[in-house]
Amino acid sequence: MPELPEVETTRRGIAPHLIGRRVASVTLRRNDLRWPIPREITELLPGQRIDEVERRAKYLLLHTHAGSALLHLGMTGVLRVLPPDVTPGAHDHVDIALEPLRGERSRILRFTDPRRFGCLLWQPPGITHELLAGLGPEPLTDAFDGELLYRRSRGRKAAVKLFLMDNAIVVGVGNIYASEALFAAGIDPRRAAGTVSRARYQRLAAEVKRILAWAIERGGTTLRDFLNPDGAPGYFFRELFVYGREGEPCKVCGTAIRQTVIGQRSTFWCPRCQK
């Protein structure tokens, strides 16, 4: 599933082609993805100018005066900005046609989702969609720090990795980056969240910020290109220290990386570097 760096890289890739443009039309090739696509997408979005493209957790919002289109990429979703004459494929479910600015060519924002676990919903102005309600702070803002993690973890017996991936604590720290941040901070992912010290949480928060920011600069781990019909992967996968490396030597100490399942998610760690 695309994680925060992939979604943020998507936002940065599409935003320059959307902000300030009006939506000419919306083409739906099916009426549902994970959930039914609400009528506001075809009735209210056309004619509106896109004022901002925002990421909240792993959701993207296209803000207009009439409301906001709310998108999630699900497991396999991809957003690409394309010329309007690119023939849609079997899994190209939504086209948002954009009116060109003076001297520009027409473009469409195409939502491709083979497994249809993504979504396209609507958020009225002045209202927070229920999917966004109750979310914790963004990890790359000042609202997220080690003190927050320490304070919210007291008395918790759940594994620290599950605690870090809880969107009510902090949004967008998914499986890959939780594993990598815990390795960088030297914390065993199986350790009870309530037993981690304030100093170690301060280091963990710093590593979360560092790793997510670097992954965004590297284009994420799985992301594809935005402007061409053919995709190209992100490059952060080349820099993973533990995730997906079971049995391989630790890049720091040479000990074999171990793998287990925590909360139904594969978890990787170095038994020597992480305590």
Side-chain angles (χ1 to χ4, degrees):
M1 178 178 290
E3 297 195 20
L4 184 149
E6 289 77 61
V7 180
E8 176 61 19
T9 306
T10 296
R11 188 197 68 79
R12 295 184 183 188
I14 66 175
H17 303 280
L18 272 60
I19 295 175
R21 279 78 171 173
R22 289 191 180 275
V23 175
S25 62
V26 177
T27 300
L28 304 182
R29 297 186 181 88
R30 59 178 304 121
N31 294 321
D32 64 337
L33 294 170
R34 184 174 183 180
W35 298 295
I37 299 173
R39 60 180 179 80
E40 288 89 345
I41 295 296
T42 54
E43 294 182 3
L44 297 183
L45 188 56
Q48 294 297 315
R49 185 186 66 194
I50 298 174
D51 297 318
E52 183 184 0
V53 180
E54 179 191 7
R55 179 192 54 76
R56 180 69 172 111
K58 299 179 186 179
Y59 294 91
L60 290 171
L61 295 106
L62 311 184
H63 291 301
T64 76
H65 179 74
S68 304
L70 175 66
L71 301 104
H72 193 287
L73 300 178
M75 296 287 290
T76 57
V78 177
L79 287 169
R80 293 174 296 164
V81 179
L82 301 169
D85 57 354
V86 176
T87 302
H91 305 298
D92 295 335
H93 303 307
V94 180
D95 283 351
I96 299 176
L98 306 168
E99 294 182 1
L101 298 179
R102 184 174 302 221
E104 291 186 340
R105 295 183 299 168
S106 297
R107 294 280 187 175
I108 59 171
L109 178 66
R110 177 163 288 170
F111 190 7
T112 304
D113 189 6
R115 297 184 67 179
R116 301 201 307 274
F117 286 156
C119 70
L120 175 55
L121 302 171
W122 185 256
Q123 177 178 272
I127 295 176
T128 299
H129 195 281
E130 61 181 337
L131 292 174
L132 306 181
L135 293 178
E138 291 285 335
L140 296 177
T141 65
D142 291 341
F144 170 68
D145 58 17
E147 187 61 32
L148 170 76
L149 292 177
Y150 179 76
R151 186 176 66 253
R152 296 292 301 273
S153 66
R154 295 306 87 188
R156 293 185 181 241
K157 297 180 180 179
V160 64
K161 179 166 178 274
L162 290 180
F163 171 71
L164 187 61
M165 293 176 63
D166 184 346
N167 280 326
I169 304 299
V170 57
V171 300
V173 184
N175 198 34
I176 295 174
Y177 301 104
S179 293
E180 293 296 307
L182 287 163
F183 172 80
I187 300 173
D188 188 322
R190 303 168 299 170
R191 177 180 287 276
T195 66
V196 178
S197 69
R198 176 183 276 109
R200 300 188 84 190
Y201 270 129
Q202 288 172 344
R203 182 177 177 187
L204 178 59
E207 293 296 347
V208 167
K209 291 174 181 285
R210 180 186 66 83
I211 288 171
L212 289 177
W214 180 236
I216 290 167
E217 293 303 315
R218 298 289 282 162
T221 303
T222 58
L223 196 67
R224 298 187 174 186
D225 191 27
F226 312 106
L227 296 177
N228 300 310
D230 296 326
Y235 294 99
F236 189 75
F237 72 92
R238 297 177 179 175
E239 302 171 35
L240 296 175
F241 278 81
V242 290
Y243 186 85
R245 300 188 62 245
E246 179 187 8
E248 298 180 28
C250 173
K251 295 179 181 181
V252 174
C253 73
T255 304
I257 298 299
R258 294 185 183 176
Q259 185 267 339
T260 190
V261 176
I262 299 177
Q264 301 181 329
R265 305 300 297 274
S266 292
T267 300
F268 303 86
W269 83 101
C270 172
R272 184 172 180 180
C273 293
Q274 296 173 255
K275 302 298 182 182

